[in-house]
């Protein structure tokens, strides 16, 4: 439970004639993690294998299927399973139905592409004509002169031309529009004048007639083509509706065919045999071994190899079902190594507690719970669904702490706080209670001390697993030293100053002596591994104090909620209820909007603050005490069929 799943390393060798049967059996069981063969220059006997004969046809068919899926907007991840199709039926339909569907889809997509190109062309021409629509000249009047030069373009402002000219200026166009006709001998002079005013020339479209009429005609053509495109999109949607189940089944089946056919590229081969090394979970190894023996009638050699380095072992989580969604948070940081403790279960328990302590409101928790449950219908990806499950656990924790704090959207619930009050004095009242900040801070600091202590204890256990000999001993003593320094500092402080809600140790010399001994012994224990670690001693205090965020962030959320309530209800709504007036009704509506928007934003801030600060306490303050990470993900050869069945 606190360790990854145990693995066995297998070497499999067999004649090449059995390669297809072995690959199919390994793929069917979906438990064998293949170690890719990397040829060495010194070894001439072994080489990378070749794909099976059917690889090319399967890959070609898969490309066609995925092209159709892409054209029709089909994502296998978002397709719900209705009924699994028999693999034999899918293979028969690939031969008979797939070419027809492919041709229909390709024809529609080709027609749509041509129409879209025409549509863009008409839209582009309309944009080119738009500046000229502001000038009362037909397009043919801009061309064909031998003695005159025509300037057309955008300009920052109107200008005076000092030579005989014909000019049109319009500020009804973005960037302004100017047309100037002058004799050729004045061309350079006029050009300098225009450039000084920020003139940017634009070409005259190669068309005839009034620009406004031509622009209108192009836009009408574009709109007409849009209708044709919509009709084609409707036909493509029809393909999606009729054939989505078949296409995703084809995708799955052909993907399996390609992966099986290309598997020899990961094996080592000789002229007569092939060899593969890989990993199998310990509890499923015997079953796959028996299956391989039966599939080859004993024409196979299997040897279990020793595990030399834990970094080469693929890691598969082994956690209770409720902790499985939290594995996503672990992968964001780093997957555990094979030999070290897997903290997923601890994170799955502690993360929602921290989140609940920070947010701690029945109303906000209920909103987030409803949101996490409702969004599951729309998110099909495994990562998104796992994140929503984690959010649902955290939301339930927030509701529980909201009951304990007696909080609902910044209001007090009908009962007294069952633990400590976080109600602030805003608007002349504190919801029945003032905040017990000191007590809350003491609890948060003690949580930090215990959480970090647990991390150091796990660090000692991990050191015994990850290291050997003298290195392991030094690491264990160093972790114990960090514990000694932290608890030594705590005892010394405790001996001089009474700590609320704790035993009073002031005046006990024994406590001071024990604290000093722990502090000195701890510093020596840290230094014996690496003297430079001494400079990190201040982090003991900073990491413990970092847990104060469990209270500080939560109090900020309470403050925002109570301010929103005071502004919306106390200042806007309640005064207007004494005497209803038209202006009062408007203020009441505004107050309701302020109330809703304020709490929506505070819910978002609570989600962001509660989530980020809770996971930060794990990543920075907790994991750095014991966790190395860097494990390789277990990726078995095979797939779990979703749309097809043998």
């Amino acid at each position: 439970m606190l360790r990854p799943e145990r693995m066995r390393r297998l070497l499999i060798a067999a004649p090449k004639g059995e390669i297809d049967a072995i690959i199919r059996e390994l793929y069917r069981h979906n438990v064998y993690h293949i170690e890719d063969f990397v040829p060495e220059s010194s070894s001439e006997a072994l080489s990378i294998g070749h794909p099976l004969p059917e690889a090319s046809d399967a890959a070609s068919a898969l490309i066609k299927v995925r092209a159709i899926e892409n054209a029709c907007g089909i994502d296998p991840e978002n397709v719900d399973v209705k009924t699994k199709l028999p693999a034999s039926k899918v293979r028969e339909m690939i031969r008979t139905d797939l070419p027809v569907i492919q041709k229909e889809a390709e024809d529609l997509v080709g027609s749509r592409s041509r129409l879209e190109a025409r549509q863009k062309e008409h839209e582009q021409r309309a944009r080119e004509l738009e500046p000229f629509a502001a000038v009362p000249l037909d397009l043919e009047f801009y061309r064909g002169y031998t003695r005159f030069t025509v300037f057309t373009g955008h300009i920052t402002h109107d200008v005076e031309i000092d030579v005989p000219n014909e000019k049109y200026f319009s500020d009804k166009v973005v960037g302004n529009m100017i047309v100037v006709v002058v004799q050729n001998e004045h061309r350079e002079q006029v050009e300098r004048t225009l450039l000084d005013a920020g003139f940017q020339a634009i070409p005259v479209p190669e068309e005839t007639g009034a620009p406004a009429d031509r622009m209108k005609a192009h836009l009408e053509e574009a709109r007409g083509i849009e209708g044709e495109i919509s009709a084609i999109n409707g036909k493509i949607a029809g393909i999606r509706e009729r054939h989505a189940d078949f296409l995703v089944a084809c995708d799955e089946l052909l993907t399996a065919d390609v992966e099986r056919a290309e598997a020899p590229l990961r094996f080592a081969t000789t002229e007569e045999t092939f060899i593969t090394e890989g990993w199998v979970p310990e509890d499923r190894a015997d079953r796959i071994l028996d299956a391989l023996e039966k599939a080859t009638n004993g024409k196979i050699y299997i040897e279990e190899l020793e595990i030399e380095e834990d970094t080469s072992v693929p890691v598969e989580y082994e956690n209770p079902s409720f902790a499985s969604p939290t594995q996503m948070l672990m992968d964001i940081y780093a997957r555990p190594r094979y030999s070290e403790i897997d903290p997923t279960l601890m994170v799955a328990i502690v993360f929602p507690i921290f989140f609940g302590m920070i947010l701690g409101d029945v109303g906000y928790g209920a909103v987030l719970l409803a949101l996490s449950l409702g969004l599951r219908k729309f998110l099909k990806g495994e990562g998104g669904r796992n994140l929503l499950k984690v959010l649902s656990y955290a939301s339930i924790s927030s509701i529980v702490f909201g009951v304990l704090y007696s909080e609902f959207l910044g209001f007090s619930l009908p009962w007294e706080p069952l633990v400590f009050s976080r109600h602030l004095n805003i608007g002349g009242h504190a919801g029945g209670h003032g905040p017990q900040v000191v007590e809350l801070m003491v609890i948060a600091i003690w949580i930090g001390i215990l959480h970090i202590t647990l991390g150091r204890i796990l660090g000692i256990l991990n050191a015994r697993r990850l290291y050997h000999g003298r290195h392991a001993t030094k690491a264990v003593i160093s972790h114990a030293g960090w514990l000694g320094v932290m608890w030594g500092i705590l005892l010394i402080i405790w001996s001089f100053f009474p700590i609320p809600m704790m035993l009073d140790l002031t005046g006990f010399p024994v406590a001071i002596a024990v604290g000093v001994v722990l502090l000195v012994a701890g510093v020596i224990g840290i230094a014996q591994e690496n003297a430079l670690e001494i400079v990190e001693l201040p982090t003991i205090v900073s990491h413990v104090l970092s847990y104060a965020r469990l209270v500080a962030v939560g109090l900020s959320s309470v403050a925002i909620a109570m301010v929103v309530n005071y502004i919306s209800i106390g200042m806007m709504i309640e005064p207007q209820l004494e005497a209803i007036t038209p202006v009062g009704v408007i203020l009441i509506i505004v107050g309701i909007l302020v109330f809703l928007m304020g709490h929506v934003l505070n819910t978002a801030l609570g989600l962001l603050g509660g989530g980020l600060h809770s996971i930060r306490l794990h990543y920075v303050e907790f994991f750095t005490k014991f966790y190395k990470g860097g494990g390789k993900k277990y990726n078995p050869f095979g797939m779990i069929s979703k749309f097809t069945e043998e």
Side-chain angles (χ1 to χ4, degrees), residues 6-12 32-33 35 276-282 285 302-309 312-314 338:
R6 298 296 89 192
M7 292 285 177
R8 290 168 66 178
R9 184 184 179 192
L10 302 179
L11 181 146
I12 300 173
Y32 183 69
H33 176 102
E35 284 287 345
T276 175
E277 290 185 17
W279 304 87
V280 177
E282 192 174 61
I302 303 175
E303 179 183 351
E304 184 171 351
L305 305 176
E306 292 185 4
I307 299 176
E308 298 174 356
E309 297 182 8
S312 65
V313 185
Y338 181 69

Side-chain angles (χ1 to χ4, degrees), residues 463-476:
R464 295 170 61 88
R465 292 179 176 182
L466 295 175
Y467 310 124
H468 303 285
R470 190 176 178 183
H471 190 189
T473 303
K474 284 188 173 184
V476 169

